[in-house]
PDB file of all heavy atoms in Angstrom:
ATOM      1  N   SER A 103     286.555 -83.905  -7.732  1.00 97.00           N
ATOM      2  CA  SER A 103     287.150 -85.112  -7.231  1.00 97.00           C
ATOM      3  C   SER A 103     286.095 -86.214  -7.023  1.00 97.00           C
ATOM      4  O   SER A 103     286.452 -87.366  -6.784  1.00 97.00           O
ATOM      5  CB  SER A 103     287.884 -84.838  -5.902  1.00 97.00           C
ATOM      6  OG  SER A 103     286.962 -84.579  -4.876  1.00 97.00           O
ATOM      7  N   GLY A 104     284.844 -85.823  -7.064  1.00 97.00           N
ATOM      8  CA  GLY A 104     283.790 -86.819  -6.764  1.00 97.00           C
ATOM      9  C   GLY A 104     283.326 -86.875  -5.391  1.00 97.00           C
ATOM     10  O   GLY A 104     282.504 -87.691  -4.988  1.00 97.00           O
ATOM     11  N   ALA A 105     283.931 -86.050  -4.486  1.00 98.00           N
ATOM     12  CA  ALA A 105     283.563 -86.026  -3.070  1.00 98.00           C
ATOM     13  C   ALA A 105     282.139 -85.492  -2.894  1.00 98.00           C
ATOM     14  O   ALA A 105     281.433 -85.728  -1.936  1.00 98.00           O
ATOM     15  CB  ALA A 105     284.515 -85.212  -2.262  1.00 98.00           C
ATOM     16  N   ALA A 106     281.735 -84.675  -3.905  1.00 98.00           N
ATOM     17  CA  ALA A 106     280.359 -84.168  -3.950  1.00 98.00           C
ATOM     18  C   ALA A 106     279.934 -84.233  -5.426  1.00 98.00           C
ATOM     19  O   ALA A 106     280.759 -84.256  -6.338  1.00 98.00           O
ATOM     20  CB  ALA A 106     280.293 -82.754  -3.429  1.00 98.00           C
ATOM     21  N   ASP A 107     278.621 -84.274  -5.666  1.00 98.00           N
ATOM     22  CA  ASP A 107     278.080 -84.383  -6.986  1.00 98.00           C
ATOM     23  C   ASP A 107     277.747 -83.004  -7.578  1.00 98.00           C
ATOM     24  O   ASP A 107     277.898 -82.792  -8.775  1.00 98.00           O
ATOM     25  CB  ASP A 107     276.829 -85.298  -7.027  1.00 98.00           C
ATOM     26  CG  ASP A 107     277.167 -86.657  -6.518  1.00 98.00           C
ATOM     27  OD1 ASP A 107     278.088 -87.328  -7.058  1.00 98.00           O
ATOM     28  OD2 ASP A 107     276.450 -87.129  -5.559  1.00 98.00           O
ATOM     29  N   ILE A 108     277.165 -82.178  -6.737  1.00 98.00           N
ATOM     30  CA  ILE A 108     276.771 -80.842  -7.163  1.00 98.00           C
ATOM     31  C   ILE A 108     277.241 -79.789  -6.144  1.00 98.00           C
ATOM     32  O   ILE A 108     277.316 -80.114  -4.926  1.00 98.00           O
ATOM     33  CB  ILE A 108     275.224 -80.791  -7.239  1.00 98.00           C
ATOM     34  CG1 ILE A 108     274.742 -81.768  -8.332  1.00 98.00           C
ATOM     35  CG2 ILE A 108     274.724 -79.351  -7.579  1.00 98.00           C
ATOM     36  CD1 ILE A 108     273.243 -81.901  -8.406  1.00 98.00           C
ATOM     37  N   GLY A 109     277.633 -78.653  -6.642  1.00 98.00           N
ATOM     38  CA  GLY A 109     278.186 -77.626  -5.739  1.00 98.00           C
ATOM     39  C   GLY A 109     277.469 -76.287  -5.947  1.00 98.00           C
ATOM     40  O   GLY A 109     276.738 -76.124  -6.935  1.00 98.00           O
ATOM     41  N   ILE A 110     277.634 -75.369  -5.008  1.00 98.00           N
ATOM     42  CA  ILE A 110     277.145 -73.993  -5.074  1.00 98.00           C
ATOM     43  C   ILE A 110     278.325 -73.033  -4.948  1.00 98.00           C
ATOM     44  O   ILE A 110     279.174 -73.190  -4.082  1.00 98.00           O
ATOM     45  CB  ILE A 110     276.117 -73.758  -3.960  1.00 98.00           C
ATOM     46  CG1 ILE A 110     274.994 -74.702  -3.996  1.00 98.00           C
ATOM     47  CG2 ILE A 110     275.650 -72.277  -3.990  1.00 98.00           C
ATOM     48  CD1 ILE A 110     274.115 -74.642  -2.716  1.00 98.00           C
ATOM     49  N   ASP A 111     278.361 -72.092  -5.851  1.00 96.00           N
ATOM     50  CA  ASP A 111     279.430 -71.072  -5.743  1.00 96.00           C
ATOM     51  C   ASP A 111     279.027 -69.861  -6.505  1.00 96.00           C
ATOM     52  O   ASP A 111     277.991 -69.881  -7.260  1.00 96.00           O
ATOM     53  CB  ASP A 111     280.779 -71.567  -6.183  1.00 96.00           C
ATOM     54  CG  ASP A 111     281.946 -70.879  -5.437  1.00 96.00           C
ATOM     55  OD1 ASP A 111     281.740 -69.735  -4.956  1.00 96.00           O
ATOM     56  OD2 ASP A 111     283.049 -71.378  -5.450  1.00 96.00           O
ATOM     57  N   TRP A 112     279.822 -68.800  -6.500  1.00 95.00           N
ATOM     58  CA  TRP A 112     279.631 -67.628  -7.344  1.00 95.00           C
ATOM     59  C   TRP A 112     280.209 -67.988  -8.706  1.00 95.00           C
ATOM     60  O   TRP A 112     281.208 -68.695  -8.774  1.00 95.00           O
ATOM     61  CB  TRP A 112     280.321 -66.420  -6.770  1.00 95.00           C
ATOM     62  CG  TRP A 112     279.663 -65.884  -5.550  1.00 95.00           C
ATOM     63  CD1 TRP A 112     278.619 -66.429  -4.836  1.00 95.00           C
ATOM     64  CD2 TRP A 112     279.958 -64.598  -4.904  1.00 95.00           C
ATOM     65  NE1 TRP A 112     278.263 -65.597  -3.783  1.00 95.00           N
ATOM     66  CE2 TRP A 112     279.071 -64.513  -3.759  1.00 95.00           C
ATOM     67  CE3 TRP A 112     280.885 -63.614  -5.122  1.00 95.00           C
ATOM     68  CZ2 TRP A 112     279.133 -63.390  -2.909  1.00 95.00           C
ATOM     69  CZ3 TRP A 112     280.917 -62.514  -4.256  1.00 95.00           C
ATOM     70  CH2 TRP A 112     280.065 -62.403  -3.178  1.00 95.00           C
ATOM     71  N   VAL A 113     279.633 -67.450  -9.757  1.00 97.00           N
ATOM     72  CA  VAL A 113     280.089 -67.727 -11.119  1.00 97.00           C
ATOM     73  C   VAL A 113     281.590 -67.300 -11.304  1.00 97.00           C
ATOM     74  O   VAL A 113     282.371 -68.033 -11.918  1.00 97.00           O
ATOM     75  CB  VAL A 113     279.246 -67.044 -12.159  1.00 97.00           C
ATOM     76  CG1 VAL A 113     279.808 -67.191 -13.529  1.00 97.00           C
ATOM     77  CG2 VAL A 113     277.828 -67.644 -12.122  1.00 97.00           C
ATOM     78  N   ALA A 114     281.931 -66.192 -10.697  1.00 94.00           N
ATOM     79  CA  ALA A 114     283.327 -65.654 -10.798  1.00 94.00           C
ATOM     80  C   ALA A 114     284.342 -66.639 -10.160  1.00 94.00           C
ATOM     81  O   ALA A 114     285.516 -66.609 -10.506  1.00 94.00           O
ATOM     82  CB  ALA A 114     283.479 -64.327 -10.182  1.00 94.00           C
TER      83      ALA A 114
END
Side-chain angles (χ1 to χ4, degrees):
S103 70
D107 302 305
I108 297 173
I110 301 168
D111 209 340
W112 289 8
V113 173

